[in-house]
Amino acid sequence: HNSAVTPEAATATATVITCLCHTASAMPFFHTCGPNEAMVVSGVCHRQPKLVTGGRVFVWPAIQKVQRISLNMLTVIVSSPRIYTMLGVPVSVTATAQIKIEGSKREMLHNACQQFLGMNEHQILEVATQTLEGHQRAIMGTMTVEEIYQDRQKFSQAVYDVASQDLLNMGINVVSYTISDVSDDQGYLRALGETDIAQRHRDARVGEAEASRDSGIKGARALQAERQAQLQNEAEVAKSQRDYELKKASYDIETQTKKANADMSYELQVAKTQQKIRSEAMGIVVVERSKQIQVMEQEITRKERELEATVKRPAKAEKFRLETLAEANKNKLIWEAQAEAEAIRARGEAEAFAIRARSQAEAEAMAKKAEAWVEYKDAAMVDMLLNMLPRLAAEVAAPLAQTEKITMIAGPNGDVGAARITGEVLDIITRLPESVRQLTGVDITKMITKSASNATSSRA
């Protein structure tokens, strides 16, 4: 429904419009910013502040407010001088970090505005530096000097992982974090470098370099144990300072206990170090002995080669020559033996033929004799006996023919001289028929008598 505008309302409206026009003439309505900063607009019409990065925004004068926050990259030098590491060795670390307020993520930019709006870059840099230094100190206390110095990537990653989370909660992104310097005023890092140099010298000169390397290592370990004890003591002192009013007495006792343990640990480490030094000295002697053995083995090898060249090879040549001659002689003997065997075989065959011929003749003669014996019987046997008597007499007299001297002694009625010897031979022959009868049962005397009677009868 319609309502009439009163003159008073129209006058008030005109007055307000006039004031706004005068204000607009004094402050522009549009604000702009580059890509390296962000604008925060708050006031009327904004329940939450409006965030604008790298652009422009319309701002009502007097009823709205615009603020700016830098998005530039900031370089933070994080210095942690004389921080005790896990083993009690004080070391100084200087790192360089690149940070910036993250403007591409609204939530992080909103957190950054809550934390840093109204601060300049120097103030923001101070907050980030303190945060990074705190985390860097904490990580240094959990690592050894060797890990920090030799594995800087691991140390940097550990600090980055811890610190970046806190800075992200503040709206700051850690773009990079690198270790620029690691140093100490106790000579510990120098000792580590000397250890590496000693190791390289050990490869060139086994004996002296090993001793130098081991001395450096053992000294570093002793120093490490001592620094660890100092770290424990100082940690206890820090705890006593933190709770000084409540637990001063108990922490004093604990500090003294830790100090005594540290002294005992130091003495024990010194004893272990001396023992290892002695062991390494023995190792040097063993290495020297090994080198001497290698030299002796090489000399043995050289002498064996010399013996091979001067003795064994000539001996092998002589052996080959002798074996060749022996093989030739063996072949000669084999051929001669084969020829002789062939001659013997030929002679044997000839003798065998002669024996067979003679045996056949004797067999034929014996066959004839056998036929004659069958025909004449006793007469044949008598004839054979008569033929054998001269041979028998010759066999009986043969020993007498070999006698050089015979001495004969005659009895009162005996003969002397050749007649006596002949009589002895005839007496032996006379006894032959009786010996044959006793051995074979054949009575030669009867057979001769019977043969003579048969012959007489046949003539009559």
Side-chain angles (χ1 to χ4, degrees), residues 387-402 425 429:
N387 291 329
M388 292 181 60
L389 285 176
R391 295 170 58 188
L392 179 61
E395 293 295 330
V396 172
L400 295 175
Q402 303 296 327
V425 173
I429 295 173

Side-chain angles (χ1 to χ4, degrees), residues 183-332:
S183 62
D184 73 313
D185 55 1
Q186 301 295 324
Y188 190 88
L189 295 176
R190 181 179 180 182
L192 291 178
E194 290 177 354
T195 301
D196 294 335
I197 295 173
Q199 290 177 351
R200 295 182 180 276
H201 283 295
R202 182 194 62 183
D203 296 336
R205 297 180 301 175
V206 177
E208 181 180 356
E210 283 185 349
S212 300
R213 181 202 64 182
D214 296 334
S215 298
I217 293 175
K218 301 307 180 296
R221 288 180 179 176
L223 181 60
Q224 183 179 357
E226 182 180 2
R227 295 307 180 190
Q228 183 178 5
Q230 292 179 1
L231 176 63
Q232 292 176 351
N233 291 335
E234 292 185 1
E236 296 301 330
V237 171
K239 291 180 181 178
S240 299
Q241 291 177 353
R242 182 189 62 188
D243 301 328
Y244 177 80
E245 296 297 334
L246 299 176
K247 299 181 179 180
K248 181 178 181 300
S250 62
Y251 277 116
D252 287 341
I253 296 173
E254 187 174 359
T255 301
Q256 295 299 326
T257 302
K258 294 294 182 180
K259 182 177 180 181
N261 291 334
D263 293 338
M264 293 178 64
S265 299
Y266 175 76
E267 293 177 358
L268 179 61
Q269 186 65 34
V270 170
K272 290 181 177 178
T273 302
Q274 293 176 353
Q275 182 180 2
K276 290 183 178 180
I277 292 173
R278 289 194 294 269
S279 299
E280 294 298 331
M282 292 300 295
I284 295 171
V285 175
V286 171
V287 171
E288 291 177 351
R289 296 286 176 82
S290 300
K291 293 297 182 181
Q292 293 176 358
I293 291 172
Q294 291 179 0
V295 173
M296 293 175 66
E297 289 177 350
Q298 292 176 357
E299 181 65 20
I300 291 172
T301 302
R302 186 190 67 79
K303 289 184 177 181
E304 287 180 351
R305 291 178 178 176
E306 182 180 356
L307 179 63
E308 178 72 22
T310 58
V311 178
K312 290 184 177 180
R313 290 184 179 177
K316 288 181 179 179
E318 182 65 18
K319 178 182 177 184
F320 177 76
R321 186 182 69 83
L322 294 176
E323 287 178 351
T324 303
L325 294 176
E327 184 68 22
N329 292 331
K330 182 183 74 172
N331 293 333
K332 178 181 177 183

Side-chain angles (χ1 to χ4, degrees), residues 19 38 60 108 115 126 159 174 195 204 210 240 271 287 344 379 423:
C19 292
W60 288 101
M108 292 183 63
Q115 303 289 337
E126 183 67 24
V159 176
V174 180
T195 301
E210 283 185 349
S240 299
V287 171
I344 292 172

Side-chain angles (χ1 to χ4, degrees), residues 1 7 21 28 31 109 135 147 199 235 237 261 303 327 369:
H1 58 118
C21 289
H31 293 265
L109 182 58
H135 288 298
E147 291 176 339
Q199 290 177 351
V237 171
N261 291 334
K303 289 184 177 181
E327 184 68 22
K369 289 182 180 180

